[in-house]
């Protein structure tokens, strides 16, 4: 628990290495259940979401240990098939054990998942995929119970695009008998990374990164060592931190190829950048102009996870911005917190409108992981001291967040014992 006290007003400058991807590694931890041999995830981020996912795996019977920054997983003996409430409620990704437990144990009982409060977040698409792969699925008393004699490949046409449901269907399809064809899949890079990881273990998956994925079921997977890719959302967060403070940040290991929509917005705001090898050099001195209209969408569109980060910058820019959130129906709460800092924003349904504002230090509260990071970044650009409460939400996904911002010259004090 605890709070951050942030003294704003100084441009962030310096060089940092982008952390490895939270959203890529969480499904890989669930996927480990499909393999009885040792798996090493090299450069795994040390964040609380990873620790919570690992706790679920250990509770099911896996051996898990760290070797420096490498996460080692061995799922030789998996005795349980139930993910209990106290563990599942900690995070949304716990629902991914539905597909991998079904693949491994032919039975899965997963308590309704938790995660950020950004909308209703139902699991109907996950359940639909399991049913179509031959499992009997029932939801009762906040638990999803699924069972099968043998998962069988099938054609699954998703009525709506979902990252998590696509991942769950891939996990269940990997060891299913026959061919599974997934249509209207999410195309996020994290899905491509998951499929590369599974293929390295011997799975036969084609088409990841497109809206049609074909999985030829195999009987078993072999152990492997896999390098966790860089985090495009963390990279986008630090890009926006540079923009909010009109600074100059160099991002090593930035996954630039996955950041097209974000870099487009950055350029429209007046930001300048160059890519040298795997390094993204950014210059935000001339950031001044709000993007008139921005809407979130699935990849390769502008990511919903960076909507509140852009908002934190947009409120300080010339001209107004209309920001439309199209993925999650309740992801506008950070705008209310920014108002406490003097942001002129109006919220109507799924849309936020901004006007040029001067941000001043205030007491604000993180309402979700990315929103919390947005408040910290707004604070770094604001005049005076801001206290950000509920920082445990931020630390679910950002590795060494205060230390990284301090390395860039940000003045941020962590008060661990404070009542948040
Ligand atoms: C993942 C990411 C999250 C990101 C989101 C969208 C991880 C750990 N999380 O979340 O950071 O913001 O993708 O890019 O990778 N939906 C249904 N029924 C379902 C499943 C989803 O209606 O069964 C809806 C959701 O409520 C939401 C939309 O579909 O409105 C998209 O959600 P989804 O793509 O599933 O997001 P997550 O996988 O939860």
């Amino acid at each position: 628990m605890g709070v951050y006290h942030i003294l704003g007003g100084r441009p962030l400058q310096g060089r940092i290495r982008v952390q490895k991807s939270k959203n890529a590694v969480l499904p890989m931890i669930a996927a480990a259940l499909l393999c009885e041999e040792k798996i090493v995830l090299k450069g795994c981020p040390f964040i609380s979401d990873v620790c919570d996912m690992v706790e679920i795996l250990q509770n099911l019977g896996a051996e898990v240990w760290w070797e420096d920054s490498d996460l080692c997983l061995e799922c030789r003996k998996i005795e349980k098939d139930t993910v209990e409430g106290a563990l599942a409620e900690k995070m949304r990704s716990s629902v991914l054990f539905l597909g991998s437990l079904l693949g491994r144990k032919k039975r899965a009982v997963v308590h309704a998942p938790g995660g950020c409060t950004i909308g209703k977040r139902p699991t109907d698409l996950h359940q639909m995929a399991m049913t179509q792969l031959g499992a009997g699925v029932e939801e009762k008393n906040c638990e999803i119970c699924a069972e099968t004699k043998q998962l069988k490949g099938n054609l699954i046409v998703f009525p709506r695009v979902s990252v998590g449901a696509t991942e769950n269907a891939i996990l269940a399809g990997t060891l299913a008998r026959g061919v599974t064809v997934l249509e209207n899949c999410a195309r996020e890079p994290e899905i491509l990374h998951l499929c590369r990881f599974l293929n390295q273990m011997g799975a036969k998956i084609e088409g990841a990164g497109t809206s049609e994925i074909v999985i030829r079921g195999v009987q078993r997977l072999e152990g492997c060592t896999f390098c966790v890719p860089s985090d495009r959302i963390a990279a986008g967060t630090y890009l926006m931190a540079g923009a909010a403070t009109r600074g100059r940040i160099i991002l090593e290991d930035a996954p630039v190829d996955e950041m097209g929509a974000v870099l487009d917005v950055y350029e429209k705001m007046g930001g300048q950048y160059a890519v040298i090898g795997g390094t993204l050099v950014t210059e935000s001195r001339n950031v001044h102009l709000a993007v008139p209209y921005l809407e979130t969408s699935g990849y390769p569109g502008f990511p919903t996870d960076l909507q509140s980060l852009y908002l934190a910058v947009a409120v300080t820019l010339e001209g107004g911005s209309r920001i439309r959130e199209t993925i999650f129906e309740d992801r506008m709460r950070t705008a209310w917190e920014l108002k406490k800092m003097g942001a002129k924003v109006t919220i109507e349904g799924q849309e936020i409108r901004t006007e040029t504002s001067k941000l001043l230090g205030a007491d604000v509260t993180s309402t979700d992981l990315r929103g919390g990071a947005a408040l910290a970044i707004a604070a770094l650009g604001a005049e005076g001291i801001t206290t950000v409460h509920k920082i445990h939400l931020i630390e679910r996904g950002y590795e060494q967040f205060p230390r990284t911002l301090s390395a860039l010259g940000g003045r941020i004090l962590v008060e661990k014992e404070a009542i948040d």
Side-chain angles (χ1 to χ4, degrees):
M1 300 295 155
V3 301
Y4 297 153
H5 300 290
I6 298 174
L7 175 60
R10 181 192 277 185
L12 294 188
Q13 289 204 8
R15 173 185 283 263
I16 53 170
R17 188 176 294 269
V18 175
Q19 70 174 72
K20 302 300 175 191
S21 169
K22 168 180 97 72
N23 286 356
V25 84
L26 297 179
M28 291 176 193
I29 297 173
L33 270 187
L34 298 173
C35 172
E36 292 184 28
E37 296 173 14
K38 181 179 165 192
I39 291 166
V40 181
L41 294 171
K42 287 193 85 64
C44 182
F46 191 72
I47 48 178
S48 68
D49 265 13
V50 164
C51 297
D52 291 341
M53 207 66 182
V54 160
E55 201 182 335
I56 295 177
L57 206 57
Q58 284 173 317
N59 194 265
L60 293 168
E63 301 265 336
V64 186
W65 68 100
W66 288 87
E67 286 176 7
D68 298 320
S69 62
D70 301 341
L71 182 67
C72 306
L73 311 156
E74 218 168 61
C75 299
R76 223 173 282 286
K77 276 199 217 121
I78 297 297
E79 274 136 22
K80 287 164 77 174
D81 53 26
T82 301
V83 180
E84 287 140 25
L87 296 174
E89 277 170 1
K90 286 188 180 173
M91 58 192 323
R92 176 73 182 175
S93 293
S94 54
V95 74
L96 296 176
F97 284 101
L98 193 61
S100 64
L101 267 174
L102 262 183
R104 176 69 184 258
K105 301 288 290 177
K106 314 266 185 282
R107 185 170 187 273
V109 180
V110 180
H111 192 276
C116 287
T117 45
I118 51 181
K120 288 197 283 291
R121 307 187 86 175
T123 56
D124 56 318
L125 302 174
H126 299 255
Q127 297 186 40
M128 179 205 91
M130 301 307 126
T131 308
Q132 296 197 359
L133 290 172
V137 182
E138 198 185 5
E139 191 176 4
K140 57 174 185 198
N141 304 329
C142 290
E143 276 182 346
I144 309 166
C145 309
E147 204 161 0
T148 182
K149 284 207 177 70
Q150 170 67 52
L151 288 173
K152 291 190 192 87
N154 200 352
L155 168 66
I156 302 175
V157 184
F158 288 106
R160 300 185 302 285
V161 178
S162 157
V163 175
T166 303
E167 290 168 344
N168 236 336
I170 292 167
L171 293 173
T174 294
L175 298 182
R177 187 181 295 158
V179 179
T180 298
V181 179
L182 307 177
E183 284 183 7
N184 199 24
C185 297
R187 292 179 291 158
E188 266 60 10
E190 292 73 22
I191 289 171
L192 184 61
H193 299 312
L194 173 65
C195 293
R196 281 194 183 136
F197 169 65
L198 287 165
N199 283 345
Q200 194 174 320
M201 291 197 284
K204 294 204 164 7
I205 307 170
E206 286 168 22
T210 74
S211 52
E212 185 181 291
I213 296 178
V214 178
I215 308 162
R216 284 167 224 287
V218 295
Q219 284 192 340
R220 59 182 295 277
L221 297 181
E222 288 167 6
C224 79
T225 295
F226 191 83
C227 294
V228 180
S230 292
D231 194 316
R232 66 192 172 101
I233 303 299
T237 299
Y238 293 113
L239 180 72
M240 291 299 164
T245 61
R246 314 296 190 262
R248 185 170 193 278
I249 298 183
I250 300 173
L251 296 167
E252 290 177 14
D253 289 348
V256 178
D257 293 347
E258 300 175 358
M259 294 174 66
V262 181
L263 287 168
D264 276 356
V265 166
Y266 179 68
E267 270 196 315
K268 285 184 185 144
M269 293 192 291
Q272 293 159 290
Y273 70 91
V275 182
I276 305 164
T279 300
L280 177 64
V281 179
T282 72
E283 166 60 83
S284 298
R285 212 175 357 191
N286 297 322
V287 165
H288 68 289
L289 204 58
V291 176
Y293 179 73
L294 182 147
E295 68 174 32
T296 60
S297 58
Y299 189 82
F302 191 89
T304 169
D305 283 357
L306 290 176
Q307 177 254 105
S308 44
L309 277 305
Y310 167 70
L311 172 66
V313 184
V315 291
T316 68
L317 303 177
E318 283 166 30
S321 204
R322 254 174 73 216
I323 304 167
R324 188 165 182 78
E325 172 57 52
T326 72
I327 308 289
F328 292 107
E329 67 279 6
D330 191 14
R331 207 171 204 177
M332 270 75 69
R333 295 181 192 205
T334 303
W336 292 102
E337 295 301 309
L338 285 170
K339 264 177 179 264
K340 297 179 185 166
M341 299 177 70
K344 292 182 201 152
V345 290
T346 43
I347 304 146
E348 246 176 64
Q350 294 296 103
E351 228 170 79
I352 306 170
R353 284 169 195 256
T354 70
E355 280 174 63
T356 316
S357 334
K358 180 163 178 57
L359 296 183
L360 299 172
D363 240 43
V364 291
T365 302
S366 314
T367 58
D368 65 274
L369 157 63
R370 306 301 172 187
L375 294 173
I377 270 142
L380 287 163
E383 197 178 295
I385 297 177
T386 297
T387 300
V388 182
H389 296 262
K390 295 211 187 295
I391 58 169
H392 63 280
L393 290 175
I394 303 176
E395 296 182 357
R396 282 185 41 204
Y398 292 95
E399 198 172 27
Q400 306 271 21
F401 191 58
R403 186 183 285 189
T404 308
L405 294 172
S406 298
L408 295 169
R411 287 167 292 180
I412 173 163
L413 184 86
V414 185
E415 198 187 339
K416 277 282 174 205
E417 303 306 317
I419 298 164
D420 65 355

PDB file of all heavy atoms in Angstrom, residues 55-78:
ATOM      1  N   GLU A  55       1.375 -17.420  -8.015  1.00  0.00           N
ATOM      2  CA  GLU A  55       0.772 -18.012  -6.817  1.00  0.00           C
ATOM      3  C   GLU A  55      -0.332 -18.996  -7.219  1.00  0.00           C
ATOM      4  O   GLU A  55      -0.480 -20.065  -6.612  1.00  0.00           O
ATOM      5  CB  GLU A  55       0.207 -16.889  -5.933  1.00  0.00           C
ATOM      6  CG  GLU A  55       0.034 -17.317  -4.490  1.00  0.00           C
ATOM      7  CD  GLU A  55      -0.573 -16.209  -3.632  1.00  0.00           C
ATOM      8  OE1 GLU A  55      -0.438 -15.013  -3.977  1.00  0.00           O
ATOM      9  OE2 GLU A  55      -1.207 -16.563  -2.611  1.00  0.00           O
ATOM     10  N   ILE A  56      -1.084 -18.659  -8.236  1.00  0.00           N
ATOM     11  CA  ILE A  56      -2.137 -19.584  -8.702  1.00  0.00           C
ATOM     12  C   ILE A  56      -1.499 -20.874  -9.204  1.00  0.00           C
ATOM     13  O   ILE A  56      -1.918 -21.977  -8.863  1.00  0.00           O
ATOM     14  CB  ILE A  56      -2.986 -18.926  -9.822  1.00  0.00           C
ATOM     15  CG1 ILE A  56      -3.751 -17.715  -9.275  1.00  0.00           C
ATOM     16  CG2 ILE A  56      -3.951 -19.951 -10.435  1.00  0.00           C
ATOM     17  CD1 ILE A  56      -4.569 -16.950 -10.314  1.00  0.00           C
ATOM     18  N   LEU A  57      -0.449 -20.727 -10.001  1.00  0.00           N
ATOM     19  CA  LEU A  57       0.226 -21.898 -10.577  1.00  0.00           C
ATOM     20  C   LEU A  57       0.786 -22.785  -9.455  1.00  0.00           C
ATOM     21  O   LEU A  57       0.645 -24.007  -9.484  1.00  0.00           O
ATOM     22  CB  LEU A  57       1.351 -21.402 -11.491  1.00  0.00           C
ATOM     23  CG  LEU A  57       1.785 -22.305 -12.638  1.00  0.00           C
ATOM     24  CD1 LEU A  57       0.620 -22.650 -13.541  1.00  0.00           C
ATOM     25  CD2 LEU A  57       2.883 -21.630 -13.453  1.00  0.00           C
ATOM     26  N   GLN A  58       1.391 -22.162  -8.449  1.00  0.00           N
ATOM     27  CA  GLN A  58       1.959 -22.924  -7.327  1.00  0.00           C
ATOM     28  C   GLN A  58       0.856 -23.633  -6.556  1.00  0.00           C
ATOM     29  O   GLN A  58       1.002 -24.780  -6.151  1.00  0.00           O
ATOM     30  CB  GLN A  58       2.723 -21.988  -6.377  1.00  0.00           C
ATOM     31  CG  GLN A  58       4.069 -21.573  -6.944  1.00  0.00           C
ATOM     32  CD  GLN A  58       4.750 -20.521  -6.088  1.00  0.00           C
ATOM     33  OE1 GLN A  58       4.114 -19.581  -5.637  1.00  0.00           O
ATOM     34  NE2 GLN A  58       6.048 -20.670  -5.892  1.00  0.00           N
ATOM     35  N   ASN A  59      -0.271 -22.930  -6.397  1.00  0.00           N
ATOM     36  CA  ASN A  59      -1.394 -23.516  -5.669  1.00  0.00           C
ATOM     37  C   ASN A  59      -1.937 -24.760  -6.391  1.00  0.00           C
ATOM     38  O   ASN A  59      -2.452 -25.673  -5.772  1.00  0.00           O
ATOM     39  CB  ASN A  59      -2.471 -22.441  -5.515  1.00  0.00           C
ATOM     40  CG  ASN A  59      -3.513 -22.833  -4.514  1.00  0.00           C
ATOM     41  OD1 ASN A  59      -4.551 -23.371  -4.888  1.00  0.00           O
ATOM     42  ND2 ASN A  59      -3.234 -22.593  -3.239  1.00  0.00           N
ATOM     43  N   LEU A  60      -1.770 -24.785  -7.717  1.00  0.00           N
ATOM     44  CA  LEU A  60      -2.245 -25.943  -8.491  1.00  0.00           C
ATOM     45  C   LEU A  60      -1.238 -27.101  -8.414  1.00  0.00           C
ATOM     46  O   LEU A  60      -1.537 -28.218  -8.829  1.00  0.00           O
ATOM     47  CB  LEU A  60      -2.465 -25.551  -9.955  1.00  0.00           C
ATOM     48  CG  LEU A  60      -3.609 -24.556 -10.221  1.00  0.00           C
ATOM     49  CD1 LEU A  60      -3.551 -24.022 -11.642  1.00  0.00           C
ATOM     50  CD2 LEU A  60      -4.969 -25.210  -9.961  1.00  0.00           C
ATOM     51  N   GLY A  61      -0.031 -26.810  -7.930  1.00  0.00           N
ATOM     52  CA  GLY A  61       0.968 -27.886  -7.760  1.00  0.00           C
ATOM     53  C   GLY A  61       2.290 -27.647  -8.475  1.00  0.00           C
ATOM     54  O   GLY A  61       3.187 -28.484  -8.405  1.00  0.00           O
ATOM     55  N   ALA A  62       2.423 -26.526  -9.188  1.00  0.00           N
ATOM     56  CA  ALA A  62       3.660 -26.287  -9.962  1.00  0.00           C
ATOM     57  C   ALA A  62       4.821 -25.883  -9.054  1.00  0.00           C
ATOM     58  O   ALA A  62       4.617 -25.331  -7.975  1.00  0.00           O
ATOM     59  CB  ALA A  62       3.409 -25.182 -10.978  1.00  0.00           C
ATOM     60  N   GLU A  63       6.028 -26.172  -9.528  1.00  0.00           N
ATOM     61  CA  GLU A  63       7.243 -25.670  -8.868  1.00  0.00           C
ATOM     62  C   GLU A  63       7.643 -24.402  -9.612  1.00  0.00           C
ATOM     63  O   GLU A  63       7.768 -24.430 -10.846  1.00  0.00           O
ATOM     64  CB  GLU A  63       8.402 -26.667  -9.056  1.00  0.00           C
ATOM     65  CG  GLU A  63       8.141 -28.044  -8.515  1.00  0.00           C
ATOM     66  CD  GLU A  63       8.688 -28.187  -7.108  1.00  0.00           C
ATOM     67  OE1 GLU A  63       9.603 -27.430  -6.766  1.00  0.00           O
ATOM     68  OE2 GLU A  63       8.148 -29.036  -6.375  1.00  0.00           O
ATOM     69  N   VAL A  64       7.830 -23.328  -8.887  1.00  0.00           N
ATOM     70  CA  VAL A  64       8.184 -22.063  -9.539  1.00  0.00           C
ATOM     71  C   VAL A  64       9.304 -21.402  -8.756  1.00  0.00           C
ATOM     72  O   VAL A  64       9.247 -21.348  -7.534  1.00  0.00           O
ATOM     73  CB  VAL A  64       6.971 -21.100  -9.602  1.00  0.00           C
ATOM     74  CG1 VAL A  64       7.315 -19.850 -10.413  1.00  0.00           C
ATOM     75  CG2 VAL A  64       5.745 -21.783 -10.188  1.00  0.00           C
ATOM     76  N   TRP A  65      10.315 -20.923  -9.459  1.00  0.00           N
ATOM     77  CA  TRP A  65      11.391 -20.198  -8.772  1.00  0.00           C
ATOM     78  C   TRP A  65      12.003 -19.172  -9.719  1.00  0.00           C
ATOM     79  O   TRP A  65      11.827 -19.255 -10.936  1.00  0.00           O
ATOM     80  CB  TRP A  65      12.440 -21.169  -8.230  1.00  0.00           C
ATOM     81  CG  TRP A  65      13.256 -21.890  -9.257  1.00  0.00           C
ATOM     82  CD1 TRP A  65      14.511 -21.585  -9.665  1.00  0.00           C
ATOM     83  CD2 TRP A  65      12.876 -23.069 -10.003  1.00  0.00           C
ATOM     84  NE1 TRP A  65      14.937 -22.489 -10.612  1.00  0.00           N
ATOM     85  CE2 TRP A  65      13.964 -23.409 -10.833  1.00  0.00           C
ATOM     86  CE3 TRP A  65      11.718 -23.862 -10.051  1.00  0.00           C
ATOM     87  CZ2 TRP A  65      13.920 -24.497 -11.710  1.00  0.00           C
ATOM     88  CZ3 TRP A  65      11.693 -24.951 -10.930  1.00  0.00           C
ATOM     89  CH2 TRP A  65      12.788 -25.252 -11.738  1.00  0.00           C
ATOM     90  N   TRP A  66      12.686 -18.178  -9.104  1.00  0.00           N
ATOM     91  CA  TRP A  66      13.343 -17.127  -9.877  1.00  0.00           C
ATOM     92  C   TRP A  66      14.837 -17.403  -9.929  1.00  0.00           C
ATOM     93  O   TRP A  66      15.420 -17.823  -8.920  1.00  0.00           O
ATOM     94  CB  TRP A  66      13.136 -15.751  -9.219  1.00  0.00           C
ATOM     95  CG  TRP A  66      11.743 -15.222  -9.338  1.00  0.00           C
ATOM     96  CD1 TRP A  66      10.714 -15.473  -8.487  1.00  0.00           C
ATOM     97  CD2 TRP A  66      11.211 -14.349 -10.350  1.00  0.00           C
ATOM     98  NE1 TRP A  66       9.574 -14.811  -8.903  1.00  0.00           N
ATOM     99  CE2 TRP A  66       9.859 -14.106 -10.047  1.00  0.00           C
ATOM    100  CE3 TRP A  66      11.755 -13.733 -11.489  1.00  0.00           C
ATOM    101  CZ2 TRP A  66       9.032 -13.292 -10.817  1.00  0.00           C
ATOM    102  CZ3 TRP A  66      10.935 -12.920 -12.263  1.00  0.00           C
ATOM    103  CH2 TRP A  66       9.594 -12.709 -11.931  1.00  0.00           C
ATOM    104  N   GLU A  67      15.447 -17.195 -11.074  1.00  0.00           N
ATOM    105  CA  GLU A  67      16.908 -17.175 -11.179  1.00  0.00           C
ATOM    106  C   GLU A  67      17.246 -15.804 -11.723  1.00  0.00           C
ATOM    107  O   GLU A  67      17.054 -15.541 -12.907  1.00  0.00           O
ATOM    108  CB  GLU A  67      17.401 -18.290 -12.117  1.00  0.00           C
ATOM    109  CG  GLU A  67      17.303 -19.666 -11.452  1.00  0.00           C
ATOM    110  CD  GLU A  67      17.675 -20.826 -12.364  1.00  0.00           C
ATOM    111  OE1 GLU A  67      18.148 -20.579 -13.496  1.00  0.00           O
ATOM    112  OE2 GLU A  67      17.468 -21.981 -11.937  1.00  0.00           O
ATOM    113  N   ASP A  68      17.673 -14.907 -10.877  1.00  0.00           N
ATOM    114  CA  ASP A  68      17.803 -13.484 -11.214  1.00  0.00           C
ATOM    115  C   ASP A  68      16.484 -13.005 -11.791  1.00  0.00           C
ATOM    116  O   ASP A  68      15.457 -13.180 -11.150  1.00  0.00           O
ATOM    117  CB  ASP A  68      18.988 -13.249 -12.175  1.00  0.00           C
ATOM    118  CG  ASP A  68      20.309 -13.669 -11.517  1.00  0.00           C
ATOM    119  OD1 ASP A  68      20.464 -13.391 -10.315  1.00  0.00           O
ATOM    120  OD2 ASP A  68      21.137 -14.295 -12.188  1.00  0.00           O
ATOM    121  N   SER A  69      16.509 -12.486 -13.038  1.00  0.00           N
ATOM    122  CA  SER A  69      15.229 -11.989 -13.569  1.00  0.00           C
ATOM    123  C   SER A  69      14.521 -13.033 -14.442  1.00  0.00           C
ATOM    124  O   SER A  69      13.585 -12.710 -15.166  1.00  0.00           O
ATOM    125  CB  SER A  69      15.458 -10.705 -14.362  1.00  0.00           C
ATOM    126  OG  SER A  69      16.296 -10.989 -15.456  1.00  0.00           O
ATOM    127  N   ASP A  70      14.989 -14.289 -14.392  1.00  0.00           N
ATOM    128  CA  ASP A  70      14.328 -15.340 -15.183  1.00  0.00           C
ATOM    129  C   ASP A  70      13.346 -16.103 -14.300  1.00  0.00           C
ATOM    130  O   ASP A  70      13.692 -16.495 -13.179  1.00  0.00           O
ATOM    131  CB  ASP A  70      15.363 -16.326 -15.744  1.00  0.00           C
ATOM    132  CG  ASP A  70      16.399 -15.628 -16.625  1.00  0.00           C
ATOM    133  OD1 ASP A  70      16.107 -14.498 -17.084  1.00  0.00           O
ATOM    134  OD2 ASP A  70      17.474 -16.202 -16.840  1.00  0.00           O
ATOM    135  N   LEU A  71      12.167 -16.313 -14.820  1.00  0.00           N
ATOM    136  CA  LEU A  71      11.156 -17.066 -14.073  1.00  0.00           C
ATOM    137  C   LEU A  71      11.158 -18.512 -14.576  1.00  0.00           C
ATOM    138  O   LEU A  71      10.964 -18.755 -15.774  1.00  0.00           O
ATOM    139  CB  LEU A  71       9.772 -16.425 -14.281  1.00  0.00           C
ATOM    140  CG  LEU A  71       8.627 -17.077 -13.519  1.00  0.00           C
ATOM    141  CD1 LEU A  71       8.783 -16.899 -12.011  1.00  0.00           C
ATOM    142  CD2 LEU A  71       7.282 -16.481 -13.944  1.00  0.00           C
ATOM    143  N   CYS A  72      11.389 -19.456 -13.671  1.00  0.00           N
ATOM    144  CA  CYS A  72      11.443 -20.876 -14.050  1.00  0.00           C
ATOM    145  C   CYS A  72      10.172 -21.569 -13.560  1.00  0.00           C
ATOM    146  O   CYS A  72       9.783 -21.393 -12.397  1.00  0.00           O
ATOM    147  CB  CYS A  72      12.655 -21.546 -13.421  1.00  0.00           C
ATOM    148  SG  CYS A  72      14.196 -20.687 -13.781  1.00  0.00           S
ATOM    149  N   LEU A  73       9.564 -22.331 -14.451  1.00  0.00           N
ATOM    150  CA  LEU A  73       8.276 -22.960 -14.134  1.00  0.00           C
ATOM    151  C   LEU A  73       8.354 -24.451 -14.457  1.00  0.00           C
ATOM    152  O   LEU A  73       8.796 -24.819 -15.558  1.00  0.00           O
ATOM    153  CB  LEU A  73       7.159 -22.341 -14.994  1.00  0.00           C
ATOM    154  CG  LEU A  73       7.085 -20.814 -15.052  1.00  0.00           C
ATOM    155  CD1 LEU A  73       6.395 -20.342 -16.311  1.00  0.00           C
ATOM    156  CD2 LEU A  73       6.340 -20.293 -13.837  1.00  0.00           C
ATOM    157  N   GLU A  74       7.935 -25.285 -13.533  1.00  0.00           N
ATOM    158  CA  GLU A  74       7.915 -26.726 -13.795  1.00  0.00           C
ATOM    159  C   GLU A  74       6.575 -27.286 -13.351  1.00  0.00           C
ATOM    160  O   GLU A  74       6.265 -27.272 -12.154  1.00  0.00           O
ATOM    161  CB  GLU A  74       9.061 -27.401 -13.038  1.00  0.00           C
ATOM    162  CG  GLU A  74       9.687 -28.522 -13.845  1.00  0.00           C
ATOM    163  CD  GLU A  74      10.983 -28.997 -13.223  1.00  0.00           C
ATOM    164  OE1 GLU A  74      10.920 -29.465 -12.067  1.00  0.00           O
ATOM    165  OE2 GLU A  74      12.038 -28.862 -13.859  1.00  0.00           O
ATOM    166  N   CYS A  75       5.789 -27.737 -14.302  1.00  0.00           N
ATOM    167  CA  CYS A  75       4.430 -28.206 -13.990  1.00  0.00           C
ATOM    168  C   CYS A  75       4.349 -29.727 -14.143  1.00  0.00           C
ATOM    169  O   CYS A  75       3.496 -30.249 -14.873  1.00  0.00           O
ATOM    170  CB  CYS A  75       3.416 -27.513 -14.901  1.00  0.00           C
ATOM    171  SG  CYS A  75       3.400 -25.734 -14.702  1.00  0.00           S
ATOM    172  N   ARG A  76       5.270 -30.425 -13.480  1.00  0.00           N
ATOM    173  CA  ARG A  76       5.305 -31.895 -13.600  1.00  0.00           C
ATOM    174  C   ARG A  76       4.063 -32.512 -12.953  1.00  0.00           C
ATOM    175  O   ARG A  76       3.396 -33.344 -13.547  1.00  0.00           O
ATOM    176  CB  ARG A  76       6.572 -32.406 -12.910  1.00  0.00           C
ATOM    177  CG  ARG A  76       7.281 -33.490 -13.709  1.00  0.00           C
ATOM    178  CD  ARG A  76       8.606 -33.861 -13.097  1.00  0.00           C
ATOM    179  NE  ARG A  76       9.666 -32.904 -13.392  1.00  0.00           N
ATOM    180  CZ  ARG A  76      10.272 -32.789 -14.572  1.00  0.00           C
ATOM    181  NH1 ARG A  76       9.912 -33.569 -15.580  1.00  0.00           N
ATOM    182  NH2 ARG A  76      11.215 -31.901 -14.758  1.00  0.00           N
ATOM    183  N   LYS A  77       3.802 -32.088 -11.732  1.00  0.00           N
ATOM    184  CA  LYS A  77       2.648 -32.671 -11.003  1.00  0.00           C
ATOM    185  C   LYS A  77       1.610 -31.584 -10.771  1.00  0.00           C
ATOM    186  O   LYS A  77       1.838 -30.658 -10.005  1.00  0.00           O
ATOM    187  CB  LYS A  77       3.112 -33.182  -9.633  1.00  0.00           C
ATOM    188  CG  LYS A  77       3.697 -34.564  -9.680  1.00  0.00           C
ATOM    189  CD  LYS A  77       3.681 -35.165  -8.269  1.00  0.00           C
ATOM    190  CE  LYS A  77       4.934 -36.001  -8.064  1.00  0.00           C
ATOM    191  NZ  LYS A  77       5.753 -35.555  -6.954  1.00  0.00           N
ATOM    192  N   ILE A  78       0.500 -31.708 -11.443  1.00  0.00           N
ATOM    193  CA  ILE A  78      -0.584 -30.746 -11.223  1.00  0.00           C
ATOM    194  C   ILE A  78      -1.749 -31.542 -10.637  1.00  0.00           C
ATOM    195  O   ILE A  78      -2.385 -32.334 -11.345  1.00  0.00           O
ATOM    196  CB  ILE A  78      -0.973 -30.035 -12.544  1.00  0.00           C
ATOM    197  CG1 ILE A  78       0.210 -29.204 -13.076  1.00  0.00           C
ATOM    198  CG2 ILE A  78      -2.216 -29.162 -12.375  1.00  0.00           C
ATOM    199  CD1 ILE A  78       0.678 -28.060 -12.174  1.00  0.00           C
TER     200      ILE A  78
END
